[in-house]
Amino acid sequence: MDTSPSTTYWVAITEATEQNGRLQVIPGSHRSDLELHCPGEKQLGIPDELIDQHDAVPVPLHPGGVLFLHPLCKHASLENDSDVFRWSFDLRFNPENELRDAEAWAGMWSDTREHLARRSGLIAHRWSADAPLCS
């Protein structure tokens, strides 16, 4: 099993504001051990109680802005209290698992999207099999 750290590049596609659920991070939290949470459950996020609001720093971003995240950095989104979606794109780079074949990547992505779209319980991602524009 590969245990090398991967970096996440979080790219804002639309404005990321307090109203529409911008990210917040705990600076320096990547220097701590990994805190496991929700054992045995599907994890779609970090529980609120693990994000100390006293230490959290908001990260508003303009479209095209990028936040680089260490894999152990505690981070979470605020609630989206607006009437618009906040769009972002996550890229994760792990040099140990670099894939250079664009056709292979496209096939893997298509297979994964189809698999996820047919699953129930992914309401947080708003994916459905009949929504071709959804990621």
Side-chain angles (χ1 to χ4, degrees):
M1 179 172 87
D2 179 27
T3 58
S4 61
S6 61
T7 301
T8 297
Y9 306 89
W10 189 88
V11 183
I13 304 301
T14 57
E15 201 76 25
T17 66
E18 183 175 359
Q19 292 74 31
N20 72 2
R22 66 156 190 251
L23 286 181
Q24 55 186 350
V25 300
I26 306 290
S29 60
H30 67 286
R31 294 185 188 105
S32 302
D33 289 333
L34 179 64
E35 253 186 88
L36 296 178
H37 53 86
C38 310
E41 295 180 25
K42 294 179 183 176
Q43 298 181 22
L44 293 178
I46 297 175
D48 290 341
E49 50 275 7
L50 292 183
I51 301 293
D52 185 345
Q53 293 302 312
H54 181 264
D55 295 331
V57 174
V59 185
L61 288 174
H62 297 295
V66 180
L67 176 64
F68 298 86
L69 292 164
H70 184 279
L72 296 179
C73 179
K74 290 182 184 179
H75 62 284
S77 294
L78 297 172
E79 289 292 323
N80 186 340
D81 294 324
S82 72
D83 293 331
V84 298
F85 288 109
R86 177 190 43 83
W87 291 94
S88 64
F89 192 71
D90 291 8
L91 300 168
R92 289 174 182 84
F93 180 70
N94 185 331
E96 300 291 321
N97 297 317
E98 185 176 2
L99 178 63
R100 294 178 176 240
D101 182 334
E103 288 182 27
W105 181 90
M108 290 167 60
W109 175 246
S110 179
D111 292 347
T112 300
R113 186 207 177 280
E114 183 177 334
H115 171 76
L116 291 174
R118 298 196 189 298
R119 286 181 57 193
S120 62
L122 290 178
I123 298 167
H125 297 308
R126 299 178 196 88
W127 291 354
S128 68
D130 60 349
L133 297 180
C134 291
S135 301

